[in-house]
């Protein structure tokens, strides 16, 4: 996918494309020194990473505050912040427990002046009220629901990017948790799925 094709699909403007190119460049550079993303995925940045992240925005058009749990390299959080810069009240919390990854996230968000805050913490330890929690390649769903539980209690919904084993993950998670979920196809990968989750608020089953 080219930047032009990405822009056609997402409506991204020139500044967003320029910022995404800077992000791609910094990701490539830092990835040589630490494990941020699989090196083989970088040549397909615009589809594999940018579009994969950007497709979440139309699914929650009213959401202003997001928490990206286990954000790692900032996916999808940094992409969401780049595309939503200038939208009044929009903010992304980038939650990452590994300090060296947080250094990368802080460098990028500072350079680009993004509406984002980096939290070097475990997701379940934070006291944040947000509209949406999201995550990509962070943990199996049964664990991810535990990380997200404090946010669900404050009224958040969730959009989780998942792979082809999502049905099995849901089956395992339903043995421990009560939740409602819609499974949507991914625009960036025919094997991928997006889980739209609404928690019942009752916590884990016993």
């Amino acid at each position: 996918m080219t930047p032009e094709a990405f822009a056609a699909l997402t409506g991204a403007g020139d500044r967003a494309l320029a910022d995404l190119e800077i992000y791609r460049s910094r990701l490539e550079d830092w990835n040589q020194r630490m494990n941020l993303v699989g090196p083989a995925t970088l040549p397909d940045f615009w589809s594999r990473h940018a579009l994969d992240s950007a497709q979440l925005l139309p699914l929650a058009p009213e959401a202003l505050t997001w928490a990206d749990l286990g954000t790692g390299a900032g996916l999808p959080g940094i992409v969401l912040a780049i595309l939503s810069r200038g939208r009044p009240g929009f903010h992304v919390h980038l939650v990452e427990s590994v300090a060296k990854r947080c250094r990368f996230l802080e460098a990028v968000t500072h350079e680009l002046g993004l509406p984002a805050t980096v939290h070097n913490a475990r997701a379940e330890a934070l006291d944040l009220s947000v509209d949406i929690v999201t995550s990509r390649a962070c943990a199996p769903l049964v664990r991810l629901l535990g990380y997200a539980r404090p946010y669900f209690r404050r009224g958040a919904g969730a959009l989780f990017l998942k792979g082809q084993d999502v049905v099995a993950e849901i089956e395992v998670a339903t043995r421990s948790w009560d939740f409602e979920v819609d499974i949507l196809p991914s625009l960036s990968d025919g094997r991928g799925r997006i889980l739209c989750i609404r928690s019942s608020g009752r916590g884990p089953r016993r």
Side-chain angles (χ1 to χ4, degrees), residues 66 91-95 105-106 109 114-120 128:
W66 297 64
H91 199 84
V92 179
H93 296 275
L94 302 168
V95 183
L105 298 169
E106 288 167 350
T109 55
L114 297 178
T117 301
V118 179
H119 301 269
N120 183 195
L128 296 174

Side-chain angles (χ1 to χ4, degrees), residues 11-50:
D14 290 343
R15 183 178 183 183
L17 293 180
D19 284 348
L20 284 167
E21 177 56 32
I22 292 171
Y23 173 50
R24 185 204 63 76
S25 177
R26 301 297 178 266
L27 187 57
E28 187 173 51
D29 179 40
W30 283 65
N31 210 53
Q32 297 177 43
R33 302 190 294 276
M34 66 176 71
N35 181 29
L36 291 168
V37 297
T41 69
L42 285 171
D44 197 20
F45 169 83
W46 290 98
S47 176
R48 184 76 174 268
H49 298 305

Side-chain angles (χ1 to χ4, degrees), residues 142-161:
V142 67
R143 285 168 46 200
L144 196 51
L145 290 171
Y147 301 158
R149 188 182 185 191
Y151 306 84
F152 288 143
R153 284 175 167 172
R154 298 181 183 92
L159 294 170
F160 294 145
L161 292 159

Side-chain angles (χ1 to χ4, degrees), residues 126-142:
L126 293 175
D127 184 19
L128 296 174
S129 294
V130 298
D131 298 320
I132 296 288
V133 292
T134 188
S135 186
R136 177 184 190 247
C138 173
L141 182 61
V142 67

